[in-house]
Amino acid sequence: MDRSHTVIIFAVNTNFLVIAAFTACMIIFVYPLFLLGTVTPSLAKYTMDSLEDNASIVGRLGAFNTIGSIIGTFVPTFVSIPAVGTSVTFLIFAGILLVLALIYFVGRGRPEAVMTGLIFVICVVFGHNTAFAFWQDDLTVEDESIYNYLQVYETGNRVVLSTNVLFGVQSVYLREEGLTGLYYDYAMAAPVMAGYEEKDAPMKVLILGMGTGTYATQCNRYFGDMDITGVEIDQKITDLAHEYFELDDGIEVITYDGRAYLNAIDGTYDVIMVDAYQDITIPFQMSSVEFFSMVRDHLNPGGVMVVNMNMRGQSEGSINNYLADTIASVFNQVYTVDVGGSTNRELFASNDPGMVDRLRDYAGTSVVQSGGSDESVLREEELISMMGYVYSQLEEYKAGDLIMTDDKAPVELLGMRVIDEIIGDEVAQYKSIYRERGIGGLLEIL
């Protein structure tokens, strides 16, 4: 850590992330928007020769302004961002504005034409860098989609997908079979709770937020063949899953919004995994009573829903409390377990009171080798041990009244609050050193 971080240490306080986001938006956007707001009045001034034609000129400018707003809304969303990405889209529209200014200044013989042309050339030559994470040079893939910034990198026997520029693991693939050490291992308790050993037919599993298929791959490795369907809104992530993460071609992946998919089908499942977190928050439409009621209606009798909560808040009224209270208003049985070494929390919900008993019974079994390979026996031993740990850490959730609905689900603010807590915890030790040893002691360790 360098000494520039001392500014953050002293500045971090309540609602730091909200204040920082607001300040950044003010600095980045206010001045350009202020300048853009002067365009129409300036054009009216420069193009109006007499008061007799002012109405027609202002009317035409207003019409062009409206057309430009429509183009600026729909073309980036449906054409340029899907085709060339966000950064190039910014350059395209900035280039259009510069060309229009250049045409005007050249036509009027004004000296500003030279500066405008120079700015345009500089932007074309130096304005685009495909490497967002310029400090990393070992990325296998760096790309962006309509929904995400995408990184694929390899470390040891792992292939990792991250959708955050600085940190975070969205999906992981292990070339050598084994537990991931991440929340997927905990979530595998859901098939056990749903009684996979009692099923005559392959268990039906639905994954909302498929990613590159880590959960599906691990379930197939440890439970054998399952009838798994994944729903992933980002087609580019699905493409990466097949190219770099060896996702089984037999697993169907639907490119769709998770809630919209549930609304469009009539099928039911034994396990539904909800893993729709995106960085610090969950889509609001997948956090409400209405959504979880829809999930419940698509579960078979005895079925289990498992929800990955990406940001584990410690204070009362955190996003996890809201989500768990909302889920508890729909399901009779709700249990949670914190994932060690991370901020994740897994929540299991069902209307079957025997879900925890099945997990307990499975965790207490012993492996008896009956013609199976040493490798399969080892996998089963790993799974039994992991399920025993999950059972030992499992806590029944005591429901409150923090209910989110389609009408009110402030997930963005709740997510920022959790990040604010995490940032505060990280710098708390440095603040303590400052209080005890002063600025000199703080500078010694930075």
Side-chain angles (χ1 to χ4, degrees):
M1 182 181 291
D2 58 53
R3 300 191 178 192
S4 63
H5 289 85
T6 54
V7 177
I8 297 178
I9 292 171
F10 289 113
V12 169
N13 212 317
T14 305
N15 293 323
F16 170 76
L17 190 63
V18 175
I19 295 171
F22 174 78
T23 303
C25 287
M26 292 293 291
I27 294 172
I28 295 170
F29 293 112
V30 166
Y31 183 65
L33 289 175
F34 175 79
L35 291 180
L36 287 173
T38 66
V39 171
T40 300
S42 299
L43 288 174
K45 174 182 177 180
Y46 292 133
T47 57
M48 195 178 301
D49 296 325
S50 67
L51 293 178
E52 295 179 358
D53 57 357
N54 66 339
S56 61
I57 290 174
V58 172
R60 284 196 297 271
L61 289 174
F64 285 125
N65 191 26
T66 301
I67 293 171
S69 297
I70 294 172
I71 292 173
T73 299
F74 289 99
V75 170
T77 303
F78 297 105
V79 180
S80 61
I81 290 179
V84 296
T86 306
S87 60
V88 175
T89 295
F90 270 108
L91 289 174
I92 289 173
F93 280 86
I96 291 172
L97 292 175
L98 284 170
V99 168
L100 291 175
L102 185 61
I103 292 172
Y104 171 79
F105 289 135
V106 170
R108 294 298 181 105
R110 297 175 64 93
E112 291 91 340
V114 177
M115 182 59 67
T116 303
L118 181 61
I119 293 173
F120 180 74
V121 171
I122 292 174
C123 289
V124 169
V125 176
F126 302 105
H128 178 56
N129 184 354
T130 56
F132 295 95
F134 56 85
W135 57 90
Q136 291 181 281
D137 56 3
D138 57 349
L139 296 176
T140 306
V141 174
E142 186 177 23
D143 199 0
E144 61 177 317
S145 67
I146 302 174
Y147 304 99
N148 293 294
Y149 165 75
L150 304 171
Q151 282 186 356
V152 176
Y153 60 91
E154 302 178 39
T155 171
N157 72 324
R158 296 186 174 207
V159 184
V160 178
L161 170 69
S162 175
T163 57
N164 190 295
V165 175
L166 290 177
F167 61 89
V169 173
Q170 203 273 347
S171 292
V172 62
Y173 171 71
L174 300 181
R175 295 191 180 94
E176 298 176 4
E177 296 186 8
L179 295 175
T180 64
L182 302 172
Y183 68 87
Y184 311 102
D185 303 338
Y186 294 71
M188 284 196 293
V192 177
M193 291 176 170
Y196 90 98
E197 289 184 308
E198 305 166 7
K199 301 292 182 182
D200 296 328
M203 179 171 277
K204 294 190 66 177
V205 178
L206 177 65
I207 305 172
L208 303 179
M210 182 69 164
T212 61
T214 302
Y215 188 61
T217 299
Q218 292 298 98
C219 281
N220 274 342
R221 283 177 173 177
Y222 283 89
F223 297 110
D225 290 336
M226 285 182 160
D227 183 2
I228 300 177
T229 301
V231 180
E232 172 58 53
I233 197 171
D234 195 333
Q235 179 62 49
K236 276 198 173 183
I237 289 181
T238 303
D239 294 339
L240 292 173
H242 289 290
E243 186 172 356
Y244 296 100
F245 294 81
E246 299 187 20
L247 179 64
D248 189 343
D249 292 333
I251 297 176
E252 182 181 19
V253 183
I254 311 296
T255 304
Y256 220 50
D257 172 77
R259 177 165 175 171
Y261 180 77
L262 283 180
N263 196 45
I265 65 169
D266 297 321
T268 55
Y269 301 86
D270 299 299
V271 172
I272 297 180
M273 166 70 153
V274 181
D275 191 10
Y277 254 96
Q278 188 173 26
D279 293 335
I280 67 170
T281 189
I282 190 170
F284 80 92
Q285 76 272 15
M286 297 180 71
S287 64
S288 64
V289 169
E290 292 84 353
F291 168 72
F292 292 115
S293 298
M294 195 179 298
V295 173
R296 177 199 60 201
D297 295 340
H298 283 82
L299 283 172
N300 290 324
V304 174
M305 175 186 72
V306 53
V307 180
N308 174 46
M309 299 177 177
N310 195 29
M311 292 293 175
R312 183 171 71 239
Q314 302 297 333
S315 63
E316 287 295 323
S318 71
I319 187 170
N320 301 128
N321 291 135
Y322 272 88
L323 281 170
D325 286 356
T326 302
I327 293 168
S329 70
V330 176
F331 291 90
N332 297 329
Q333 308 291 320
V334 178
Y335 291 82
T336 62
V337 58
D338 290 344
V339 178
S342 76
T343 60
N344 292 72
R345 173 177 292 163
E346 300 305 290
L347 181 147
F348 303 92
S350 177
N351 285 328
D352 182 2
M355 59 182 288
V356 176
D357 293 336
R358 293 192 190 96
L359 180 64
R360 180 200 61 210
D361 294 343
Y362 181 83
T365 61
S366 60
V367 178
V368 178
Q369 187 167 2
S370 56
S373 65
D374 292 340
E375 186 176 325
S376 65
V377 171
L378 178 60
R379 279 202 302 271
E380 190 171 356
E381 288 177 342
E382 282 183 329
L383 183 61
I384 291 173
S385 176
M386 186 67 217
M387 294 304 98
Y389 179 77
V390 172
Y391 176 73
S392 69
Q393 300 297 312
L394 207 62
E395 294 183 2
E396 185 174 5
Y397 184 76
K398 305 299 181 183
D401 56 359
L402 301 175
I403 311 298
M404 292 192 287
T405 66
D406 284 349
D407 184 57
K408 185 179 181 182
V411 290
E412 289 85 2
L413 289 177
L414 293 171
M416 285 185 176
R417 186 183 301 170
V418 175
I419 292 292
D420 189 51
E421 291 177 12
I422 294 173
I423 295 173
D425 291 341
E426 289 294 322
V427 301
Q429 59 173 320
Y430 297 104
K431 287 186 175 181
S432 176
I433 292 172
Y434 170 72
R435 286 192 295 268
E436 295 175 2
R437 299 164 53 187
I439 189 68
L442 183 63
L443 292 176
E444 287 178 6
I445 66 170
L446 294 179

